[in-house]
Amino acid sequence: MKLENNKVNSRKLYSIGYCRNIDKYILECCVPGSAYYNMYYEISEEEFNRYEEDSSELDKLVDYIRRKNYISDRFLFSDLVRDNSNEQMELMRKAK
């Protein structure tokens, strides 16, 4: 997925940016393991803009979201198909 104004935190394995195709600010979290894949969550424009001033707030949000995984209310879709509903699969197609 192409995110505009992409900002990467390689220490915490996430990036943030704006996805024009679905008009949302996105948090893209890498899930390491035997096969790496990404999970995508919605963040606000304010959270995106605050990253430059204080990334620690977003780091805390990432930790919280990772514990919730795909049951988070911010979850949009995952590269791992089994995590997605039909609606999430459609949103993923639009985003990519």
Side-chain angles (χ1 to χ4, degrees), residues 5-87:
N5 300 318
N6 194 29
K7 299 170 185 173
V8 177
N9 184 316
S10 56
R11 182 179 53 82
K12 290 280 213 174
L13 298 175
Y14 73 84
S15 63
I16 60 173
Y18 177 73
C19 180
R20 184 175 302 277
N21 292 350
I22 58 174
D23 190 29
K24 293 186 184 298
Y25 286 88
I26 304 283
L27 165 66
E28 177 182 36
C29 291
C30 179
V31 180
S34 59
Y36 283 71
Y37 64 95
N38 293 316
M39 296 183 83
Y40 301 87
Y41 302 88
E42 185 172 5
I43 60 171
S44 70
E45 182 177 6
E46 181 182 345
E47 288 168 323
F48 174 82
N49 290 330
R50 210 172 332 134
Y51 179 81
E52 291 296 321
E53 297 169 19
D54 184 10
S55 66
S56 68
E57 287 301 312
L58 199 55
D59 288 352
K60 290 176 193 172
L61 177 63
V62 167
D63 291 341
Y64 173 76
I65 284 175
R66 283 200 165 129
R67 284 191 303 277
K68 290 288 191 179
N69 208 346
Y70 59 84
I71 60 172
S72 167
D73 61 345
R74 293 176 180 244
F75 178 68
L76 293 172
F77 51 85
S78 170
D79 288 340
L80 192 61
V81 173
R82 72 173 185 231
D83 290 345
N84 300 315
S85 67
N86 289 336
E87 293 83 16

